[in-house]
Amino acid sequence: MKSKEFSIGLLDQYHLYIPCEIAEPFTASKQSRVKVKATFKQNNIEFYAAIKKDKNTNDYKMMFGKRLQQELGVFQNDYFQIQLFEDTSKYGVDMPEELDAVFKSDHEAFTIFEGLTAGKKRSIIYAIIRIKNTQSRIDKALIMCENLKRGETNPMTLFKI
């Protein structure tokens, strides 16, 4: 499933307004998480997001934080193109190679990881993705695996020695 490409601007500092005709086919099929392709001038980015319905206005919106705004190169009054796609990823975000390799070598930690909520899994994956250096990603993944095996599941302390 995918939407048509459409023009959009920031609803407020951190959100995008998603028109009902675009959002409802996804939400009706119980797919509130989507893959997004955004284009502005020569910049293209892809990311995963959740479509949420605003209880007060019945409008649909999506988080679009400062990091994504900077990557795409947009400001508050800019309009850009986006297209939504069905999220076919296992975790709602792509698994980094380094984390996948560590999990393949530590089945016990992977089993514990699989038992976590979808949101905690995504938090862990995003924490690893934010690390730029490959070796640092591996090191943090190893620390996280050891902490999982000790029973630690709080994403705030999971990466601490």
Side-chain angles (χ1 to χ4, degrees):
M1 175 185 325
K2 67 180 180 178
S3 73
K4 63 180 182 176
E5 193 172 282
F6 60 100
S7 185
I8 196 166
L10 289 165
L11 173 64
D12 57 32
Q13 193 173 3
Y14 301 109
H15 294 94
L16 301 175
Y17 163 77
I18 307 298
C20 290
E21 66 270 10
I22 301 289
E24 285 177 348
F26 291 95
T27 58
S29 63
K30 304 286 187 230
Q31 295 183 6
S32 62
R33 292 202 57 83
V34 294
K35 184 173 185 175
V36 182
K37 290 186 181 181
T39 306
F40 180 67
K41 297 181 181 175
Q42 302 301 321
N43 297 335
N44 296 298
I45 63 171
E46 292 184 7
F47 61 96
Y48 293 89
I51 300 172
K52 302 279 186 182
K53 191 168 193 173
D54 188 311
K55 294 175 185 168
N56 298 325
T57 63
N58 282 332
D59 291 331
Y60 292 95
K61 61 184 180 178
M62 169 189 306
M63 286 290 295
F64 191 67
K66 287 290 184 195
R67 181 184 58 82
L68 293 172
Q69 293 172 34
Q70 289 171 349
E71 271 186 59
L72 192 56
V74 297
F75 295 98
Q76 188 69 39
N77 295 325
D78 289 332
Y79 282 85
F80 52 97
Q81 299 296 116
I82 71 169
Q83 187 173 15
L84 308 182
F85 297 86
E86 177 181 355
D87 179 3
T88 57
S89 67
K90 182 175 180 179
Y91 302 109
V93 64
D94 293 328
M95 173 73 80
E97 291 178 28
E98 299 86 353
L99 182 57
D100 191 43
V102 169
F103 277 146
K104 285 179 180 169
S105 69
D106 192 337
H107 183 71
E108 182 184 355
F110 178 69
T111 302
I112 295 166
F113 174 81
E114 284 295 312
L116 298 175
T117 65
K120 280 192 180 181
K121 291 177 196 173
R122 280 192 301 276
S123 293
I124 290 169
I125 293 170
Y126 279 127
I128 297 294
I129 288 172
R130 284 188 201 105
I131 301 169
K132 301 294 182 211
N133 180 288
T134 299
Q135 186 59 50
S136 296
R137 281 184 176 193
I138 294 168
D139 294 343
K140 286 293 186 183
L142 290 168
I143 291 167
M144 181 268 310
C145 284
E146 290 305 313
N147 285 336
L148 279 177
K149 291 189 286 189
R150 280 192 283 245
E152 181 64 58
T153 60
N154 180 349
M156 299 299 287
T157 57
L158 199 53
F159 295 95
K160 298 193 177 175
I161 296 177

